[in-house]
Amino acid sequence: RFHGEGFQEGYAEGSHAGMAEGRRYGALHGASIGSEVGCYLGFALTWRCLLQGCTDEKNSKKLRALDSLIGMIQKFPYEDPTYDKLQEDLENIRGKFKQVCSMLNVQSDFRVGTERSSLTF
C-alpha cells in the first residue's frame, strides 16, 4: 500500500515539475527562433529597400531572391507550435538566407547564445 501511495505522489510531483520545465524550455527555444527569423526579415527588408532603385539584371535577381526570402518568412507559422513542418521550413529559410547573402556578397554569422545574439557582417 505504501509503495503504491509513494508511487502516485512521486508521479504527480514529477508530472508537475516536467510541465514547468517544458514550458521554460519551450519559451526559451521559441524566443530563440523568433529572434533568428526576425533578424532575417529585417536584413531582407533593408536590402530590398537599398536595391529598390536599381534596375539592372543582377539586382533584379537579388530582389527576386530577397522577395522569396521575405515571402517564406511571412508564411512561417509563428503561432502554431504543433506545425509538423516547422523545422523543415526553418531550415529552408536558413538556406534561402545563405543564398541571398552569397548573392549580395555579404558574409553572415548568426549566433544565439545566453550572452547575446547578433548578426555580423
Side-chain angles (χ1 to χ4, degrees), residues 10-72:
Y11 185 81
E13 182 65 31
S15 293
H16 179 69
M19 291 290 269
E21 184 178 342
R23 280 192 188 103
R24 273 194 310 275
Y25 177 78
L28 181 64
H29 192 65
S32 173
I33 290 174
S35 175
E36 179 182 0
V37 174
C39 189
Y40 294 158
L41 181 59
F43 173 87
L45 291 172
T46 301
W47 272 99
R48 186 171 71 175
C49 286
L50 290 172
L51 296 174
Q52 203 69 39
C54 304
T55 58
D56 62 342
E57 183 60 31
K58 280 185 176 182
N59 287 325
S60 67
K61 285 183 181 181
K62 293 174 187 177
L63 282 169
R64 282 194 304 269
L66 285 165
D67 287 336
S68 175
L69 176 61
I70 292 168
M72 291 170 73

Side-chain angles (χ1 to χ4, degrees), residues 47-105:
W47 272 99
R48 186 171 71 175
C49 286
L50 290 172
L51 296 174
Q52 203 69 39
C54 304
T55 58
D56 62 342
E57 183 60 31
K58 280 185 176 182
N59 287 325
S60 67
K61 285 183 181 181
K62 293 174 187 177
L63 282 169
R64 282 194 304 269
L66 285 165
D67 287 336
S68 175
L69 176 61
I70 292 168
M72 291 170 73
I73 293 171
Q74 289 173 341
K75 291 177 187 171
F76 190 72
Y78 299 100
E79 298 186 15
D80 184 10
T82 61
Y83 179 63
D84 57 341
K85 292 185 177 180
L86 186 102
Q87 290 298 323
E88 182 181 327
D89 286 355
L90 185 58
E91 288 300 319
N92 289 339
I93 289 172
R94 287 175 178 150
K96 181 58 81 170
F97 175 72
K98 288 178 183 177
Q99 177 190 16
V100 167
C101 285
S102 176
M103 291 175 81
L104 295 171
N105 199 21

